[in-house]
Amino acid sequence: MKIHLVTIFPQFFEGPFSCGIVSRARQAGLLDIRIHDLRDWTADRHRTVDDRPFGGDEGMVLKVEPIYAALRGLNAAGARKVLLSAQGPLFDQAAARRLAGYAEIVLVCGRYEGVDERVAERLMDEELSVGNFVLTGGEWAAGMVVDSVARLLPGVVGNASSTERESFTPDEAGRVGILDYPHYTRPASFEAEGETWEAPPILLSGRHEQIAEWRRQAALTKTRRNRPDLLAGRRCA
Ligand SMILES: C[S@@+](CC[C@H](N)C(=O)[O-])C[C@H]1O[C@@H](n2cnc3c(N)ncnc32)[C@H](O)[C@@H]1O
């Protein structure tokens, strides 16, 4: 997959994409990330990308011209074009799976008060929000999209089955899945604060059927506690 990021802060991505699974995917040639400085598509001496909002208000708005020029300059006509925006539909695991199905994606990162609305109206295939909060820039959101999409690409995560049975994985009916079960590792007993914190003994028993049932129940318990919305409308044993 090829992912283009259009940003006024190309240096933002130097850290996040140079470590861990995303970095390994790039080195293995499974993921081609191209970072583009929006200012390279400006025509004036000051490399201007923003201007004051029509109608008057505080702040600045990213202009349509450089984004239009960037999208043409990328030669990515067939790519899925996504604007990161607090006003978009919420990005979730289903959207990550959907985007992972495209061969090429362009992610446009807004800044300041946002982006001239003609970009969303005329140039983008969709807007996506990573949550009901406002970030300073789309780069934070784009990093989340790239990371969550990259780990779904074939061959990127060594144990592919682990991405098929984790939090939010859709069930057979296509409903958003429940949370993953809790994980534990050595030591089985941890002495702290005058107590012994035990890992659940069943997980050390080697009884695979009982372990699977324990995990199913533990995942339901955790979902009921932390994300009851995921269980709405379901009948769970
Ligand atoms: C300060 S925000 C603009 C917020 C906008 N005035 C509003 O109230 O919806 C600047 C940029 O950050 C990005 N951004 C902010 N919150 C976001 C979110 N929840 N999801 C995705 N992108 C976001 C967008 O690219 C946006 O253009």
Side-chain angles (χ1 to χ4, degrees):
M1 169 183 265
K2 187 186 280 186
I3 302 182
H4 302 272
L5 294 125
V6 178
T7 171
I8 62 167
F9 292 121
Q11 67 275 29
F12 180 96
F13 296 104
E14 281 165 15
F17 295 158
S18 59
C19 56
I21 283 179
V22 170
S23 170
R24 287 209 301 278
R26 297 176 78 183
Q27 284 164 17
L30 300 169
L31 180 61
D32 179 1
I33 298 180
R34 310 267 174 109
I35 298 163
H36 307 278
D37 187 343
L38 184 62
R39 294 187 196 279
D40 291 344
W41 278 281
T42 52
D44 66 311
R45 197 160 59 89
H46 301 291
R47 292 163 48 92
T48 306
V49 290
D50 58 328
D51 209 334
R52 285 194 289 276
F54 285 139
D57 205 347
E58 298 292 312
M60 302 295 273
V61 175
L62 284 186
K63 291 157 67 69
V64 63
E65 298 112 306
I67 296 176
Y68 180 76
L71 292 173
R72 290 190 73 121
L74 295 182
N75 286 327
R80 185 75 177 171
K81 296 175 191 68
V82 180
L83 176 66
L84 284 313
S85 163
Q87 298 146 31
L90 284 180
F91 180 69
D92 60 8
Q93 189 67 5
R97 284 181 185 278
R98 181 171 57 74
L99 290 182
Y102 290 96
E104 193 169 11
I105 298 177
V106 179
L107 300 175
V108 175
C109 306
R111 276 274 160 178
Y112 312 127
E113 283 308 312
V115 179
D116 188 305
E117 191 66 16
R118 287 167 289 189
V119 170
E121 287 171 355
R122 305 276 184 163
L123 299 177
M124 294 290 126
D125 295 308
E126 60 184 305
E127 296 174 82
L128 283 176
S129 165
V130 294
N132 294 336
F133 44 81
V134 177
L135 300 162
T136 53
E139 291 78 9
W140 298 97
M144 292 164 69
V145 171
V146 171
D147 188 72
S148 56
V149 168
R151 60 193 299 285
L152 296 174
L153 299 177
V156 168
V157 172
N159 177 7
S161 66
S162 71
T163 61
E164 283 157 23
R165 49 171 174 72
E166 58 191 357
S167 299
F168 315 119
T169 301
D171 65 11
E172 314 76 51
R175 295 173 302 194
V176 177
I178 64 171
L179 302 180
D180 195 5
Y181 55 78
H183 301 270
Y184 296 85
T185 187
R186 278 188 280 267
S189 298
F190 178 54
E191 306 291 335
E193 299 178 19
E195 297 176 351
T196 305
W197 301 349
E198 302 277 6
I202 185 69
L203 298 179
L204 293 102
S205 69
R207 283 148 50 197
H208 298 294
E209 272 179 31
Q210 283 94 331
I211 290 172
E213 180 54 20
W214 181 89
R215 285 177 166 165
R216 206 174 74 82
Q217 292 302 332
L220 279 170
T221 302
K222 189 158 189 182
T223 305
R224 265 188 212 108
R225 188 177 69 226
N226 290 352
R227 293 293 306 275
D229 56 302
L230 296 176
L231 293 168
R234 287 173 192 241
R235 292 181 59 230
C236 296

